[in-house]
Amino acid sequence: MTDSHDSNPAIENYLLEERKFEPSTDFKANALVSTANIYEDAETDYLEFWASKARELDWVKPFDKVLEWNPPFAKWFLNGTLNASYNCLDRHVAAGLKDRVAYYFEGEPGDSKSITYGELLTEVEKFATVLKSLGVKRGDIVAIYMPMILELPIAMLACARIGAAHSVVFGGFSSNALSDRINDAESKVVITADGGNRRGVVIPLKDNVDEALKSSPVVESVVVVKRIGDKHQITMEKNRDYWYHELMDKVTDATGPVEVDSENLLYLLYTSGTTAKPKGIMHTTGGYLTQVAYTHKIVFDLHPNEDIYWCAADIGWVTGHSYIVYGPLANGATSIIYEGTPDFPDKDRWWSIIEKYKVSILYAAPTAIRTFMKWGTDYLKRHDLSSLRLLGSVGEPINPEAWMWYRENVGLEKCPIVDTWWQTETGAIMITPLPGVTTTKPGSATFPFPGIRAEIVDEQGQKVELGGGYLTLNRPWPSMLRGIYKDPERYQQTYWSKYNEKYFVGDGAKIDEDGYLWLLGRIDDVMNVSGHRVSTTEVESALVDHPSVAEAAVVGANDATTGQAIMAFVTLKSGELGTPEKGEELRNHVSTKIGAIAKPKMIIFTDDLPKTRSGKIMRRLLRDVAEGRNLGDTTTLTDPSVVEEIKRKAAANVTED
Ligand code: WTA
């Protein structure tokens, strides 16, 4: 284990947690799964277990082999063919569910609409025709940079319908980040909107696309959804930019689903790693759909004809891909899509949405829960939340205090909480309680999902039966990443080189005497800010890219609301002054290079950075400084006095929001 977790008193406290919550008799009575036999069934023959779940999908040609495992490369459901959009739409319509609402859309300004499975299918059939008319073919990768509006899942499903892959870029990313992703995937088509609404302000998505395309000559066409209209003027370049509604109006024929191989690329999703270059995580069709659909059903105890399900994530992240789009639609669920922030127009927006739509399942991030705690319970009390029957958490460790608050104030003491651990790379939920089975402990993600094998190991790879270590996944799973786009070596190196044939997660974890797993956060140079992965190296390169900066070191410091906060220690070039204005300029520079999520909370100017004799920056010390801890041994430093200076500066010379 690295120091950052063992020495963190807040996290150590989790492990003293002794409260336990059993599923209530009421909940159990109606639960899809209410006995632990499912774990044994899955262990008896885990390949057959997953095969039986895969058979719940509609295949054109059935698979004839469950798994081919040439470590670290896996293929699932071999020789089977299917189509993801067919499984999400056509088959439900064929089963008579045409009029079931697929999504209730709630725009931030207060506009709302709903779309049924029948209507969604029609839109997807039409937009697939549009994509074909723009020259998109099987195997192409379409870039999508959109707000949380219905056209986003429509665009994703239309890609899947014609055998193309999508690469969704979160709307909060800057034009630079967008351009990098377009270029890596060689996307010829970009789908965007004139803008999105966020806290009453327009996010200028199309303007960002224009800027990105200056460095992305591969792009031939841009499709623009009109979300904002007159309030924000954009420029449309002739023979390159097309309005979505105009293209859709011209469509006369509906495109049917093409048959693709189970291992056909469904999408790329870029995520931060330990180097500056984001990794294009590859997910394929059959295995991914199998695991997202099955986990969505069982973990959330989904009763598709009764539940109103709301995953309050952004589709630009994996949580949205798996649990707003593919999982819920594959299961015929009725979901909410909300465009904006929780505090617009007021801090009760979420609770008003829950009351309005009678949401029964809520899936949210701990950072949101902690923010609500800070705002106080009056906002909740204004609304009737009695429709809720299950709560989920994802994205970062949930501290017991936030877990209890969620249970008491949102779940009104009756809703089970599923704390679900997984990653972009795992594609679907991997460690989680089953709400009708598992006795939960606040702050623990409890046990691996049936069929999944997770182990904690020490530095040498030996299994840890009690206590802390590194989390590993010890056999393949259907929705596992198939690699990093165009970089098989990095795939091997990042995930499979530390322990042969064990997937290295990058998270620290502990196991207690009852076998419960406690996730402790990243052990590498990836920060988790409000549930978003941000690489320290990426922020450092953005800082060093600024002409005034000589050197930068970035650490994630514990933060009561956002989980971690980005702290940057910056050495300026000689002659430059570390003024508050300079700090602001640097913070904005990072925001331009990467996006607002990567903006450092605090910049500390220092004449030097603490380094070991071999020249490595001592991040542990910087984190200690940032978190106000006493510093341990500094004797390995070239110049221990540097730390004293930094400590002093950290206390005095700060730039903050
Ligand atoms: C963290 C989000 C503790 C973890 C689905 C992981 C969690 C990273 C949990 C993946 C959880 C996610 N408890 N930590 N329930 N869920 N994490 O790729 O560090 O955006 O490695 O996927 O988030 O983040 P990603």
Side-chain angles (χ1 to χ4, degrees):
M1 287 295 297
T2 58
D3 47 90
S4 59
H5 303 287
D6 276 348
S7 61
N8 185 334
I11 283 172
E12 290 300 313
N13 282 342
Y14 291 16
L15 304 171
L16 302 175
E17 182 58 55
E18 285 191 343
R19 285 169 289 201
K20 289 185 184 170
F21 296 92
E22 276 179 36
S24 70
T25 336
D26 275 2
F27 191 93
K28 252 179 134 79
N30 263 319
L32 296 177
V33 181
S34 54
T35 74
N37 298 347
I38 187 172
Y39 291 98
E40 286 151 40
D41 292 352
E43 280 312 304
T44 312
D45 184 347
Y46 96 102
L47 291 178
E48 181 41 39
F49 172 78
W50 284 122
S52 70
K53 308 314 166 204
R55 286 186 208 108
E56 292 178 12
L57 299 173
D58 270 23
W59 296 79
V60 183
K61 198 162 119 245
F63 51 92
D64 55 25
K65 189 175 176 194
V66 180
L67 170 69
E68 191 179 279
W69 179 225
N70 295 314
F73 297 97
K75 289 184 177 166
W76 281 86
F77 311 124
L78 286 88
N79 303 314
T81 61
L82 75 170
N83 182 284
S85 87
Y86 179 89
N87 274 281
C88 289
L89 303 169
D90 307 57
R91 66 166 174 159
H92 303 315
V93 172
L97 302 177
K98 169 167 96 33
D99 295 326
R100 180 181 290 171
V101 171
Y103 292 117
Y104 287 107
F105 168 74
E106 174 87 3
E108 195 190 73
D111 54 325
S112 59
K113 61 181 167 192
S114 61
I115 189 164
T116 63
Y117 274 89
E119 291 163 343
L120 190 57
L121 173 58
T122 306
E123 296 302 303
V124 170
E125 286 174 325
K126 283 173 69 179
F127 195 60
T129 308
V130 168
L131 288 176
K132 281 200 306 193
S133 75
L134 295 172
V136 178
K137 297 195 178 51
R138 267 177 193 259
D140 286 352
I141 302 170
V142 175
I144 303 181
Y145 183 64
M146 285 173 88
M148 286 282 287
I149 55 177
L150 293 176
E151 288 81 357
L152 172 50
I154 292 170
M156 293 163 76
L157 293 165
C159 290
R161 198 156 186 88
I162 60 172
H166 50 74
S167 162
V168 178
V169 180
F170 172 58
F173 275 120
S174 69
S175 56
N176 271 287
L178 173 62
S179 172
D180 288 348
R181 286 156 176 77
I182 291 173
N183 294 344
D184 191 60
E186 295 168 61
S187 300
K188 291 199 286 286
V189 173
V190 179
I191 305 162
T192 188
D194 53 353
N197 297 295
R198 196 175 165 76
R199 218 168 264 129
V201 176
V202 173
I203 305 290
L205 295 168
K206 173 60 166 61
D207 299 347
N208 292 348
V209 171
D210 292 343
E211 189 57 34
L213 296 203
K214 290 182 187 161
S215 342
S216 297
V218 288
V219 175
E220 293 165 5
S221 326
V222 179
V223 182
V224 187
V225 176
K226 190 178 262 182
R227 168 68 185 138
I228 303 295
D230 297 340
K231 222 171 81 190
H232 180 76
Q233 292 301 326
I234 58 164
T235 45
M236 296 288 280
E237 194 177 300
K238 214 167 177 272
N239 297 327
R240 188 197 74 180
D241 301 348
Y242 306 94
W243 285 108
Y244 176 93
H245 59 275
E246 289 179 1
L247 295 175
M248 289 291 268
D249 282 350
K250 278 192 234 144
V251 173
T252 48
D253 54 332
T255 292
V258 301
E259 179 181 350
V260 304
D261 188 85
S262 174
E263 282 299 332
N264 193 62
L265 185 68
L266 181 63
Y267 68 80
L268 287 187
L269 187 57
Y270 287 84
T271 187
S272 292
T274 51
T275 68
K277 192 177 175 321
K279 306 177 278 198
I281 302 298
M282 302 200 286
H283 282 294
T284 59
T285 309
Y288 174 79
L289 214 53
T290 297
Q291 195 174 332
V292 294
Y294 186 62
T295 50
H296 180 253
K297 185 163 94 179
I298 297 307
V299 173
F300 298 105
D301 188 47
L302 183 79
H303 292 65
N305 51 347
E306 292 161 23
D307 280 314
I308 304 292
Y309 163 84
W310 183 19
C311 166
D314 193 291
I315 295 177
W317 306 108
V318 75
T319 306
H321 279 61
S322 300
Y323 297 107
I324 300 179
V325 182
Y326 289 109
L329 292 179
N331 289 330
T334 298
S335 307
I336 308 288
I337 288 187
Y338 170 52
E339 182 188 23
T341 57
D343 55 351
F344 193 86
D346 202 353
K347 296 188 173 74
D348 65 343
R349 187 63 185 269
W350 276 31
W351 320 124
S352 91
I353 291 175
I354 289 170
E355 179 172 18
K356 175 173 172 186
Y357 295 102
K358 301 202 167 27
V359 172
S360 56
I361 303 170
L362 175 68
Y363 192 26
T367 187
I369 298 160
R370 290 191 297 262
T371 304
F372 295 133
M373 283 172 76
K374 216 163 62 181
W375 291 344
T377 51
D378 284 354
Y379 295 103
L380 290 118
K381 289 188 184 134
R382 287 187 201 162
H383 299 278
D384 177 8
L385 304 181
S386 61
S387 55
L388 286 169
R389 63 176 200 92
L390 186 139
L391 304 175
S393 172
V394 62
E396 45 183 323
I398 179 163
N399 45 311
E401 205 191 343
W403 195 102
M404 288 302 296
W405 188 91
Y406 198 25
R407 183 186 145 80
E408 281 160 16
N409 297 288
V410 184
L412 307 173
E413 315 232 5
K414 71 174 197 288
C415 299
I417 296 182
V418 288
D419 172 14
T420 63
W421 177 90
W422 57 295
Q423 306 177 298
T424 307
E425 292 87 339
T426 69
I429 292 170
M430 301 293 282
I431 301 177
T432 178
L434 294 181
V437 178
T438 315
T439 297
T440 50
K441 298 186 184 185
S444 166
T446 71
F447 308 110
F449 189 79
I452 300 299
R453 191 173 285 165
E455 257 176 22
I456 296 176
V457 301
D458 63 18
E459 188 64 40
Q460 284 70 41
Q462 293 303 311
K463 184 171 175 182
V464 172
E465 304 282 352
L466 185 67
Y470 302 109
L471 182 65
T472 59
L473 301 168
N474 299 4
R475 64 182 174 203
W477 62 100
S479 64
M480 66 190 281
L481 75 165
R482 297 304 193 260
I484 297 176
Y485 190 57
K486 295 204 289 206
D487 206 346
E489 209 146 293
R490 191 173 176 197
Y491 169 63
Q492 154 83 41
Q493 188 59 34
T494 311
Y495 306 107
W496 303 95
S497 63
K498 192 165 168 78
Y499 308 112
N500 205 17
E501 293 197 29
K502 282 181 189 162
Y503 171 91
F504 179 68
V505 163
D507 280 12
K510 293 202 178 190
I511 182 160
D512 70 16
E513 55 282 358
D514 302 325
Y516 281 64
L517 296 172
W518 302 77
L519 278 305
L520 305 178
R522 305 287 309 183
I523 45 95
D524 54 14
D525 291 335
V526 177
M527 298 172 285
N528 192 327
V529 184
S530 299
H532 303 323
R533 274 165 73 168
V534 183
S535 144
T536 52
T537 330
E538 218 177 337
V539 179
E540 284 169 7
S541 353
L543 284 166
V544 177
D545 174 77
H546 189 281
S548 311
V549 175
E551 195 171 34
V554 168
V555 297
N558 284 322
D559 184 280
T561 307
T562 58
Q564 282 190 308
I566 305 178
M567 303 289 177
F569 297 83
V570 170
T571 312
L572 293 172
K573 288 185 183 156
S574 62
E576 298 278 355
L577 288 179
T579 57
E581 293 73 33
K582 181 61 74 185
E584 202 42 37
E585 191 182 319
L586 295 184
R587 293 173 72 237
N588 289 333
H589 185 71
V590 174
S591 184
T592 315
K593 295 296 289 182
I594 309 173
I597 48 161
K599 203 168 172 172
K601 180 172 182 196
M602 208 186 262
I603 291 199
I604 298 154
F605 292 109
T606 152
D607 294 338
D608 210 346
L609 291 167
K611 290 192 188 133
T612 62
R613 287 170 218 269
S614 60
K616 277 184 93 162
I617 295 174
M618 292 281 285
R619 284 164 211 285
R620 176 180 63 81
L621 283 179
L622 293 176
R623 208 157 34 221
D624 287 345
V625 171
E627 291 172 355
R629 258 194 306 281
N630 278 336
L631 304 182
D633 185 11
T634 55
T635 50
T636 53
L637 294 177
T638 36
D639 179 5
S641 69
V642 168
V643 181
E644 287 311 311
E645 185 214 317
I646 291 178
K647 256 173 78 176
R648 199 169 41 74
K649 293 234 167 109
N653 176 12
V654 295
T655 319
E656 247 195 288
D657 266 333

